[in-house]
Amino acid sequence: MTTPAAHRRIVYALTLSLLAAMGPLCIDLYLPALPALAADLQTPTASAQLSLTAGMVGLGLGQLLFGTLSDKYGRLRPLMLSIILLLLATLACAAAQTINQFLCARLFEGLASAGGSVLARAIARDMYNGHELTKFFALLMLVNGLAPVFAPVLGGVLLSFLNWRGLFIALAIIAAVQFVVARINLHETLPPERRSQGSLLQSWAALGVVLKHRSFMSFCLPQGFMMASMFAYIGASPFVLQQIYGLSPQAFSFCFAANGIGLILASQISARLSQLWGEYRILSCGLTLAIISSASLVVSALLHAPLWGVLLTLFFSVACTGIITVTAGSLAMQSQGERAGSASAIIGVTAFTLGGASVPLTGLGGTSLMSMAVTIFGCCLLATLLFLLLARKPQRQSV
């Protein structure tokens, strides 16, 4: 029988996950429509891919905005503001008539959708610490991981009777529903006495304090580069699998969903194993697996591997991100107590800024399996090197 505390935990995890999933949903839902979008707006493939970069840059900048606001004004008011702005920006995406208009709308859509991502982590840190925080992050990943699993599938299905503009109208409807759900299920987790008492500029100054915290950065940076490898895969895979390997939008969606399932399974397994061996050790193993799987992807590109070989190596490369996101994210947030909003903001801006930079790299010289594989491997390598250089076994104490 579910206890009241367990029921409340599940309700919070579901609500926060749906809010945090809006950023990935804004990225993933229209992936199958990227080629059609480029043709409709009469723009090159590289320009269409820039819409992913614009969204991710917005997601990064929005983390800084809403994270610092939440440390000063609480979690709920910035969260509700972000959802309203998201609704308006998504409608602007649907109405765009030129690629420049679309890129601008995507930037603001990403910025607004960051509220759910950054505040989900901050609220979780307000409520939990230690292994409990890791378990809650895994629960967030379980639900949040469904976004990349089902978003391209849903996008592929919707494309059978809607155009790409209709996808953004669907996103706007989802944002409206999320506003109602958040108002009903969430309460303020940062009371006035625990908020930043200085000016807003002083709240921004807290970002510098967190950036200088070695323990935090030793987990934040590896997680950021692993997320960059994920975004490189997200940005390049529609063109690699559809244009090079000839998959239909629907077939691509199901391949993308299979990798999302691997991400979810890996995150849940890592949370369970962390209770036995600790987050630090599981994170080390995850980075090792990431290097092996991404190197195998490069070998697949060199050997011009068949589709099944590429999909197999991609599956494990993506799954490793689930291990690293849960463990590194938990360790980073555990090192920050009173500055949870700022810490969550830096995690987000690091991930999405690096992700925004990695997507164009896959298009240099034309998007190909090799360019995607080399970018993913490079991100995994940098994540591992930074972890080896900076990380020390953490003490389970908040600062």
Side-chain angles (χ1 to χ4, degrees), residues 19-20 59 62-63 66-67 78-79 82-83 110-120:
L19 291 169
L59 273 165
Q63 310 268 333
F66 293 109
L79 176 62
S82 73
I83 300 175
L111 186 138
S113 67
S117 298
V118 67
L119 293 173

Side-chain angles (χ1 to χ4, degrees), residues 17-36:
S17 296
L18 291 173
L19 291 169
M22 199 60 197
L25 194 63
C26 289
I27 293 171
D28 297 334
L29 185 71
Y30 85 120
L31 281 180
L34 267 177

Side-chain angles (χ1 to χ4, degrees), residues 180-198:
V180 176
V181 171
R183 290 290 296 175
I184 293 172
N185 290 331
L186 298 182
H187 69 271
E188 183 58 64
T189 58
L190 188 68
E193 63 272 14
R194 288 179 52 199
R195 297 175 190 174
S196 174
Q197 301 302 312

Side-chain angles (χ1 to χ4, degrees), residues 207-238:
L207 294 170
V209 177
V210 178
L211 284 168
K212 294 176 183 177
H213 197 280
R214 174 171 175 161
S215 176
F216 172 82
M217 294 305 296
S218 70
F219 303 119
C220 174
L221 287 173
Q223 184 194 35
F225 275 103
M226 285 304 302
M227 288 302 295
S229 75
M230 170 69 75
F231 287 125
Y233 153 72
I234 289 172
S237 60

